[in-house]
Amino acid sequence: MTPNHDRTSGVEGPEDEPRLERIRDAHPSRVGVGRTGSRPRTETLLRFRLDHAKARDAVTTHVPNDLVADLDLVSVRSRAESKTEFLADPSQGRNISEETAERIRADCTMDPEIQIVVSDGLSSTAVETNVPELLPVLRDGLADRGLDVGTPIFVEYGRVDVMDAIGAELGADCCVNLVGERPGLATNESLSAYFVADPERGGATSEKSVISNIHRNGIPPVEAGAEIAAVLEELCEAERGGSERGDP
């Protein structure tokens, strides 16, 4: 984890300054920020407001169309018609319309061993920041293992379970969904990779596996791409995931 050297300690005259710095360097939480009377210091308050604004932006902004095109992803939308509907009714982000199903059956490779899905989820920032580095490594890793990869798809307003519908429609053996996670005040860039074998609509959450905390201060995207390829190989061989595969 990256130390917090970019943040200045707000504690004046700490009794054990080295210990305080070790604690601050161990995680990104707001500790040792000090105070002015009963109120937070101005710098602390401004940083809090900045991080909160970044978190809101991650949820409400959209993944640029140019990025989707540069990554050579087929772009579709979940059943949600707008960001407002997506946030208010999560079930709409977990499924696709019959029209979208027909389109992907027409435009995408059928019956692949691996289907890659990218979804904005609750952080478009996470997709923008991590997927351009992660996806090439993942593709290379799957190619090295001789796995047949379908046409990668981007789902706007997509949640984790949308990969069940897409994987089932395309007849994929295994699916991975790279999803922007709910942002916090420590990072707005966290991405997760969810996996499912033999996807089917309405599949149980317990049948899914996950690698989470993918971002520059967690699992770096390049490292995550290699790890995801390895998990997909294991998943295809085992033909089951989640608790059935022995994941906690």
Side-chain angles (χ1 to χ4, degrees):
M1 181 170 293
T2 301
N4 294 315
H5 293 315
D6 61 328
R7 295 187 299 147
T8 304
S9 172
V11 179
E12 296 182 1
E15 292 186 6
D16 190 341
E17 186 168 356
R19 184 180 183 189
L20 175 60
E21 289 305 310
R22 286 198 301 274
I23 293 173
R24 286 169 53 79
D25 287 348
H27 52 77
S29 301
R30 289 170 169 77
V31 295
V33 296
R35 63 183 181 181
T36 299
S38 60
R39 296 176 296 178
R41 294 161 61 90
T42 299
E43 180 182 349
T44 303
L45 180 60
L46 292 177
R47 286 187 179 277
F48 175 83
R49 288 180 173 177
L50 175 62
D51 290 341
H52 188 252
K54 288 180 177 178
R56 289 179 60 88
D57 284 349
V59 174
T60 58
T61 55
H62 298 258
V63 176
N65 292 332
D66 289 349
L67 176 62
V68 175
D70 289 345
L71 295 173
D72 198 22
L73 304 173
V74 170
S75 181
V76 300
R77 179 176 289 178
S78 70
R79 293 186 69 91
E81 295 293 334
S82 66
K83 182 74 79 171
T84 300
E85 182 181 8
F86 170 69
L87 296 174
D89 186 356
S91 66
Q92 298 300 304
R94 299 184 181 118
N95 215 329
I96 56 176
S97 67
E98 183 54 38
E99 180 182 17
T100 298
E102 291 178 3
R103 183 191 162 199
I104 63 173
R105 287 197 298 267
D107 294 348
C108 301
T109 302
M110 294 294 297
D111 302 321
E113 288 181 290
I114 306 293
Q115 178 60 49
I116 298 174
V117 177
V118 179
S119 302
D120 48 4
L122 292 175
S123 175
S124 62
T125 306
V127 173
E128 289 185 64
T129 305
N130 299 294
V131 174
E133 289 187 62
L134 186 157
L135 195 56
V137 177
L138 173 58
R139 283 170 159 163
D140 289 346
L142 294 173
D144 289 344
R145 289 170 168 79
L147 292 169
D148 172 44
V149 182
T151 310
I153 293 175
F154 169 70
V155 184
E156 186 178 30
Y157 310 143
R159 292 183 182 268
V160 172
D161 292 348
V162 76
M163 69 176 171
D164 295 342
I166 291 175
E169 290 295 336
L170 295 177
D173 293 342
C174 299
C175 272
V176 57
N177 192 358
L178 308 174
V179 185
E181 287 288 12
R182 186 187 306 275
L185 293 174
T187 183
N188 60 335
E189 300 177 349
S190 187
L191 188 82
S192 287
Y194 288 85
F195 309 85
V196 66
D198 193 18
E200 58 180 4
R201 290 176 185 260
T205 300
S206 61
E207 296 173 354
K208 297 178 174 68
S209 304
V210 63
I211 295 176
S212 60
N213 206 32
I214 301 170
H215 56 91
R216 60 182 174 176
N217 292 330
I219 304 174
V222 171
E223 182 179 328
E227 179 65 20
I228 292 168
V231 171
L232 282 168
E233 182 180 37
E234 293 176 10
L235 203 65
C236 282
E237 291 176 352
E239 298 182 344
R240 59 183 184 274
S243 58
E244 292 184 349
R245 177 171 164 259
D247 293 347

